[in-house]
């Protein structure tokens, strides 16, 4: 057995690699879900590139975890291992890597992407991707319980804040990481979050999720980050880092699913589509049409 260094957004980790099986030290709770995807990509790439599988597992696993956890890409090899996602991962998902390490990962991942998604397949129309499924009411209750079971008071507050920003305001990963205390404001009896990252807008917080944000607003300087105050800057992997450093859980804790759940909450609650587009930072109704399949009464509605 050999040891290799792999990064999934935080410090270097020791990953166990054998000739037949790879097991990352971090992200163990998600590996059962992602292992078949990574193995499929690595097997195809190793055969076509005539390379050892063990050399391809660390970068492939790192990209898969980032794409699924941070970008909300469905766990499918041909959706994750694409050149544009590789480039985005290398430039935004590996901020603490050295230049040479990023170059090494980029080279390997581009080769895997080209093997998994050959050029002749890339010219075909890309089918409409399936929307990320929302959480059921039972799953939301489980997420609350998970947050309240975190070991230290600071982690409990951060976990509840993460849920409030995702389930209460539907913020994407970089948006929720960019919220400061000064971005919270009461308007017309509702707590609003001003979003500056990307799609600038004011988002009203679902009332049952205001308490964690108000607590965080009272406890810290107005200019501090609301989620994980004290960190330096904004990096997409900071949510993943937070989840990995806590107690291992089988729960699927993802901002992408929180956002879908928030959108469904508004659709079921009767928020006008045009108003929902504005507060969600979306451009057209087609984005909402994909969520309506989950409304109660439809065959694929969640819980």
């Amino acid at each position: 057995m050999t040891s290799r260094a792999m990064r999934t957004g935080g410090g270097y980790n020791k990953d166990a690699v054998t000739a037949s099986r790879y097991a990352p030290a971090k992200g163990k709770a998600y590996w059962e879900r992602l292992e078949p995807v990574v193995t499929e990509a690595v097997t195809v790439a190793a055969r076509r590139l005539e390379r050892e599988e063990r050399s391809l597992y660390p970068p492939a696993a790192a990209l898969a975890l980032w794409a699924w956890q941070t970008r909300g890409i469905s766990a499918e090899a041909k959706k994750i291992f694409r050149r544009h996602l590789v480039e985005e991962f290398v430039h935004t998902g590996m901020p603490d890597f050295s230049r040479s390490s990023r170059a090494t990962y980029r080279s390997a991942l581009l080769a895997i992407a080209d093997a998994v998604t050959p050029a002749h397949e890339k010219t075909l129309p890309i089918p409409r991707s399936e929307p990320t499924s929302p959480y059921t009411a039972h799953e939301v209750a489980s997420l609350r319980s998970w947050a309240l079971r975190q070991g230290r008071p600071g982690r409990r507050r951060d976990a509840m804040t993460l849920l409030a920003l995702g389930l209460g305001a539907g913020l994407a990963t970089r948006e929720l990481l960019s919220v400061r205390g000064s971005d919270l404001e009461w308007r017309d009896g509702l707590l609003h979050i001003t979003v500056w990252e990307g799609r600038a807008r004011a988002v009203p917080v679902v009332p049952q999720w205001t308490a964690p944000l108000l607590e965080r607003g009272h406890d810290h300087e107005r200019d501090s980050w609301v989620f994980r105050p004290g960190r330096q800057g904004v990096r997409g992997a900071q949510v993943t880092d937070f989840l990995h450093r806590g107690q291992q859980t089988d729960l699927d804790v993802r901002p992408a699913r929180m956002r879908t759940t928030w959108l469904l909450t508004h659709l079921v609650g009767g928020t006008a589509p045009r108003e929902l587009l504005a507060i969600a930072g979306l451009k057209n109704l087609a984005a909402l049409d994909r969520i309506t399949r989950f409304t109660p009464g439809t065959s694929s509605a969640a819980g």
Side-chain angles (χ1 to χ4, degrees):
M1 180 177 295
T2 61
S3 294
R4 287 182 178 274
M6 165 185 146
R7 180 157 328 244
T8 57
Y12 279 101
N13 313 307
K14 296 297 183 182
D15 302 320
V17 184
T18 67
S20 60
R21 189 172 182 84
Y22 170 85
K26 285 192 175 181
K28 289 181 180 178
Y30 311 119
W31 188 234
E32 182 178 352
R33 177 78 174 272
L34 295 176
E35 182 179 15
V37 178
V38 175
T39 297
E40 176 187 347
V42 166
T43 301
V44 170
R47 183 174 61 249
R48 294 186 181 180
L49 300 172
E50 296 184 349
R51 291 178 57 173
E52 289 188 358
E53 291 185 5
R54 69 174 62 196
S55 69
L56 300 177
Y57 263 107
L63 172 65
L65 179 61
W66 171 85
W68 183 77
Q69 178 80 57
T70 302
R71 291 282 279 101
I73 307 298
S74 60
E76 299 176 49
K78 288 189 176 182
K79 291 183 178 179
I80 288 176
F81 293 94
R82 290 184 170 273
R83 293 183 70 92
H84 74 277
L85 283 176
V86 170
E87 297 290 5
E88 184 179 349
F89 171 61
V90 170
H91 287 91
T92 67
M94 306 174 66
D96 297 328
F97 272 72
S98 67
R99 179 176 297 182
S100 61
S101 295
R102 288 200 303 270
T104 299
Y105 265 48
R106 179 178 182 273
S107 177
L109 289 171
L110 288 176
I112 296 173
D114 288 341
V116 172
T117 313
H120 69 275
E121 294 187 19
K122 295 172 189 174
T123 62
L124 298 176
I126 299 174
R128 193 177 187 182
S129 61
E130 294 295 318
T132 301
S133 63
Y135 293 110
T136 64
H138 175 74
E139 287 172 326
V140 171
S142 295
L143 289 173
R144 281 183 178 272
S145 178
W146 161 80
L148 295 173
R149 290 199 311 270
Q150 296 300 302
R152 300 188 304 276
R155 281 197 59 86
R156 288 195 291 272
R157 287 193 295 269
D158 279 328
M160 285 299 296
T161 298
L162 175 63
L163 298 184
L165 293 171
L167 293 168
L171 302 189
T173 300
R174 289 193 67 85
E175 292 174 343
L176 68 85
L177 287 170
S178 300
V179 176
R180 297 180 182 271
S182 56
D183 297 325
L184 304 179
E185 180 183 6
W186 285 97
R187 300 182 188 177
D188 302 322
L190 291 174
L191 183 66
H192 283 67
I193 298 175
T194 299
V195 177
W196 303 103
E197 175 73 24
R199 302 159 289 192
R201 62 198 187 278
V203 184
V205 179
V206 176
Q208 61 262 39
W209 288 106
T210 59
L213 299 177
L214 292 177
E215 178 184 354
R216 190 41 67 92
H218 290 316
D219 287 349
H220 297 85
E221 297 288 340
R222 289 283 289 166
D223 198 43
S224 295
W225 306 114
V226 172
F227 173 67
R228 296 186 68 188
R231 56 187 161 86
Q232 299 297 315
V234 173
R235 294 184 290 106
Q238 286 166 335
V239 171
T240 303
D241 287 348
F242 173 75
L243 297 175
H244 284 169
R245 291 172 183 172
Q247 297 177 350
Q248 290 295 319
T249 176
D250 292 331
L251 294 175
D252 178 11
V253 188
R254 279 193 290 160
R257 288 194 70 186
M258 295 180 201
R259 178 171 169 80
T260 300
T261 307
W262 174 82
L263 287 169
L264 183 61
T265 297
H266 276 282
L267 287 173
V268 173
T271 301
R274 292 293 177 184
E275 179 184 352
L276 183 53
L277 286 180
I279 63 175
L282 297 172
K283 293 183 178 180
N284 55 67
L285 292 171
L288 297 182
D289 289 340
R290 300 170 62 216
I291 307 299
T292 57
R293 60 177 293 185
F294 297 113
T295 55
T298 61
S299 59
S300 57

